[in-house]
Amino acid sequence: MPQPDPATLPLERKASLLSGGDFWSTQPLDEAGVAAVVLTDGPHGIRRQKAGADHLGFHASEPATCFAPAVAVGSSWDAELAERVGAAVGREARALGVGVVLGPGVNIKRSPLCGRNFEYYSEDPLLSGVLGAAFVRGAQAQGVGATVKHFAVNNQETERMRVSAEVDERTLREIYLAAFERVVTEARPAAVMSAYNKINGVPASENRRLLTDVLRTEWGFEGVVVSDWGAVGDRVAALAAGLDLQMPGPDEAHDAAIVEAVREGRLDQAVVDASVRRVAALARLAVASETGVDAVAADHHALAREVAADCVVLLKNDKYTLPLADGLRLTVVGEFAARPQFQGGGSSLVNATRVDTPLDALRSLGHLVTYVPGFTTDGTGDAETLREEAVRAVCGAEVAVVFVGLRGETEGVDRENLDLPADQVELVRAVAAVAPRTVVVLSTGGVVSLEGWHDSADAIVAGWLLGQAGGSALADVLSGAVNPSGRLAETVPLRLEDTPSFLNFPGEAGQVRHGEGVMVGYRHYESVGRAVRYPFGHGLSYTTFETDALSVDVTGDDTATVRLRVTNTGERTGKHVVQVYVATTAGRVRRPARELRAFTKVELRPGESRIVELLLERRAFAHYDIEADRWHVAPGAYTVQIGESAAEVVAEQTVTLIGDNIAAALSLDSAIGDWLAHPVAGPMLRAALMAEATEQERQQAEANGDMMEMVASIPARQFLHFPGVSVSTDDLTEILEATR
Ligand code: BGC
């Protein structure tokens, strides 16, 4: 039986649909056949609270698979992998009665200190957007909705519900909106979550420009805009701006405010109706029955292990320390080996179905392992005693594997520095001084400083937060069962002071100025030539790859096809990430030294070659032109570069693009130089200026051509008032007409 259009219901009923029915679900509207749909976190596993809902984690959630968080998946540079994670999370969502997953998070890692960086993919918008879109495709193919969050410019936790991110339009478009744009336009997520913060003074949840003009009008988004939990201050302003659903709920006061605003004519009824229809449409995702995840738990744990192994980044590997040969005497040191840190805190916390430890996993792979804790992270135990015990234990070993890391990384709190705890640093140095070979394995949700101990370690493995199977995955990589293929999705700087946001993070007096503009992450380091410990895109392998036969063909309307051959020249099967950057100085804006514009991951057997083809769309060459208010490909030369990382180019080719010539629209405020350069206005203005000149004056003006350069920046309006200028406002208006 066809259901009545929910928009025909009484206003009060409609308003009630626009805030949650409880902490995790929407209101049902029985009379219109609209069910309640459950929305829950997300992103790397399902946190389904049934026994009681809270935001503080007092109530445990149902068991679910904890996959590698985004910090790790970002380092995989593997869209297919992200899609498989999305699909598995989607399957578990359904099994747990969840219709809408609150993920992925595609905010940019602006500062390594952001406390939620473990939930985000990268400092680069292309990498974030491609992986986010893949996650959405995977999840939504299971019949659940995905929610891309936190829209937008939510790059810190300090004052996250009040701070205003002050950011210029070009930076907004090129850096902070780009990943959202890709996810929305390519993967069509069911929902977009508005952020807590303000953008240029306007709260994200009341930001009409973002929620309606950009998201719906420009990008064609048709789904639901949901608030971050508790983000809505002014419900009527939020609704008018384009925010459909307020979570959590119910919120009778806000419902009443909507009704009153409509009755008083302050809010258009049509706005309410449009939101009601969208929320009602979302409810088609409601899941009727729940089975729990037991049936898929074993398969998903195996998948979690496979995924995690492909996210590990081998940062350093001197003297062929890794992989660990069979039968070596190993001493494993460090609490993180026995009690792994595999996820961060906050709304994304998953009640894992099981947890693998690196220690057990190394033993089960047949290694002879002695274990000592080396330190504690809860303050119990004397650091010196534990360190001395560790030093004694490694004396008889062939290799020491030291597991260090951070505890307590959580939503809501930014980090204060990049350092590992001092006792862990001292431990690494002490162990490395006596062990024949030392491997350091890091478990961190973001980048940490490697200074002070980097040179004493023979091998360094970035193990991020790898989810519940991370322990086995690390053992797989250390032992060589899996070839490491992760690449840094974030630069490892030498010092916090070198990071581009250093002087403007986390802001002051309620504002955080994004003063570094588009120069975020590697864009900054490469543009200013600043040394880093490890660049964006870096990652070693147990095998070797070679790249050759690069060709770049401009294939149409400023798009290009990039072809190259990749060969596995080593002795192990492994995966290689092809990174395509574009470098240019075209256009009237300062471009970063190079920008990642395409990437793919290929698996090759020893000796195998493959021709890899990647498409560079127009956008790969464009910058956001704030005067024309659109993307613009400036005519000129563009160098397509294949990078081992953002800092190491192994092949390049330059192409020339016709670009789109935006003839600047002139006004009386345009500079006289722009008037003179204009194809129509220029000759007319020149003629007008010379209309009353004598032959001698004409010749003098020709000879003094460079005088025009001196006056080129004067606005036309002011230029008219210079003595000797015989052109009037009317003349200019007439010329303007001719240009239209
Ligand atoms: C977080 C969101 C999350 C929501 C629901 C908020 O605190 O910022 O990412 O989805 O809570 O738990």
Side-chain angles (χ1 to χ4, degrees), residues 92-346:
E92 294 199 9
R94 290 196 69 92
L96 290 164
V98 174
V100 178
V101 177
L102 301 176
V106 298
N107 294 102
I108 295 297
K109 301 185 201 231
R110 172 179 179 242
S111 164
L113 297 181
C114 172
R116 263 186 123 168
N117 276 357
F118 73 89
E119 284 187 67
Y120 303 142
Y121 293 111
S122 177
E123 69 188 21
D124 180 83
L126 177 77
L127 187 51
S128 305
V130 167
L131 297 175
F135 178 96
V136 171
R137 271 197 303 275
Q140 296 200 153
Q142 308 306 312
V144 302
T147 310
V148 63
K149 67 187 187 183
H150 309 87
F151 190 58
V153 211
N154 183 177
N155 311 116
Q156 65 184 60
E157 293 301 281
T158 306
E159 288 288 345
R160 67 169 166 162
M161 294 183 80
R162 295 190 301 176
V163 75
S164 176
E166 301 293 306
V167 56
D168 67 88
E169 184 68 14
R170 179 179 162 219
T171 302
L172 191 61
R173 297 289 188 152
E174 293 186 20
I175 304 293
Y176 296 105
L177 297 187
F180 287 98
E181 180 180 5
R182 183 174 291 275
V183 175
V184 165
T185 55
E186 286 185 3
R188 303 185 154 267
V192 169
M193 184 189 288
S194 68
Y196 281 132
N197 51 283
K198 304 184 182 97
I199 299 104
N200 296 327
V202 183
S205 48
E206 294 169 23
N207 204 308
R208 189 176 163 82
R209 212 178 139 250
L210 282 187
L211 302 186
T212 297
D213 301 346
V214 172
L215 182 61
R216 295 199 190 278
T217 312
E218 282 187 36
W219 300 348
F221 178 66
E222 288 173 353
V224 164
V225 176
V226 57
S227 72
D228 200 343
W229 265 231
V232 176
D234 182 333
R235 184 64 184 104
V236 174
L239 195 56
L243 185 133
D244 302 302
L245 176 64
Q246 173 192 322
M247 287 301 288
D251 188 336
E252 283 166 21
H254 273 172
D255 296 351
I258 294 174
V259 171
E260 196 181 293
V262 172
R263 299 241 157 92
E264 289 174 3
R266 286 181 286 116
L267 180 67
D268 191 347
Q269 166 100 264
V271 170
V272 176
D273 291 351
S275 287
V276 164
R277 289 200 184 99
R278 288 186 203 116
V279 176
L282 190 75
R284 75 183 184 281
L285 296 169
V287 178
S289 69
E290 298 178 36
T291 56
V293 303
D294 286 356
V296 291
D299 282 356
H300 283 185
H301 186 77
L303 173 63
R305 176 174 180 168
E306 187 193 332
V307 167
D310 275 0
C311 300
V312 171
V313 183
L314 180 60
L315 292 173
K316 173 179 180 180
N317 192 19
D318 287 354
K319 300 184 246 166
Y320 300 99
T321 300
L322 291 175
L324 302 169
D326 288 345
L328 279 180
R329 282 194 315 282
L330 299 182
T331 298
V332 168
V333 184
E335 192 192 80
F336 290 84
R339 197 159 72 76
Q341 186 70 35
F342 62 94
Q343 62 178 329

Side-chain angles (χ1 to χ4, degrees), residues 450-611:
L450 314 185
E451 304 317 302
W453 58 271
H454 172 271
D455 294 351
S456 46
D458 299 294
I460 304 177
V461 173
W464 313 120
L465 305 175
L466 287 176
Q468 68 180 49
S472 322
L474 281 169
D476 290 341
V477 170
L478 292 171
S479 66
V482 174
N483 177 61
S485 62
R487 300 288 184 270
L488 287 176
E490 187 183 0
T491 309
V492 182
L494 286 168
R495 309 178 314 155
L496 179 62
E497 292 83 341
D498 296 339
T499 60
S501 59
F502 178 69
L503 293 175
N504 287 310
F505 182 94
E508 54 210 15
Q511 294 191 331
V512 54
R513 214 154 49 81
H514 285 43
E516 69 284 5
V518 299
M519 300 295 175
V520 173
Y522 71 88
R523 287 170 166 77
H524 166 82
Y525 301 113
E526 291 308 310
S527 299
V528 303
R530 172 94 64 245
V532 300
R533 174 49 77 185
Y534 288 114
F536 174 84
H538 168 78
L540 303 175
S541 164
Y542 298 152
T543 186
T544 48
F545 296 93
E546 257 168 40
T547 300
D548 67 350
L550 171 67
S551 70
V552 182
D553 295 307
V554 176
T555 36
D557 182 14
D558 294 333
T559 60
T561 304
V562 180
R563 262 183 225 94
L564 62 146
R565 182 169 52 208
V566 184
T567 307
N568 182 344
T569 51
E571 274 152 26
R572 285 165 181 270
T573 295
K575 292 179 185 159
H576 178 68
V577 176
V578 177
Q579 305 172 33
V580 182
Y581 296 85
V582 172
T584 186
T585 54
R588 294 201 299 180
V589 295
R590 182 182 282 274
R591 313 287 291 254
R594 68 179 57 88
E595 297 182 89
L596 183 73
R597 293 311 196 198
F599 66 92
T600 190
K601 199 168 190 176
V602 285
E603 179 164 27
L604 297 170
R605 293 185 307 275
E608 190 183 353
S609 277
R610 174 128 12 115
I611 303 289

Side-chain angles (χ1 to χ4, degrees), residues 34-45:
V34 174
V37 58
V38 175
L39 303 88
T40 201
D41 297 295
H44 44 264

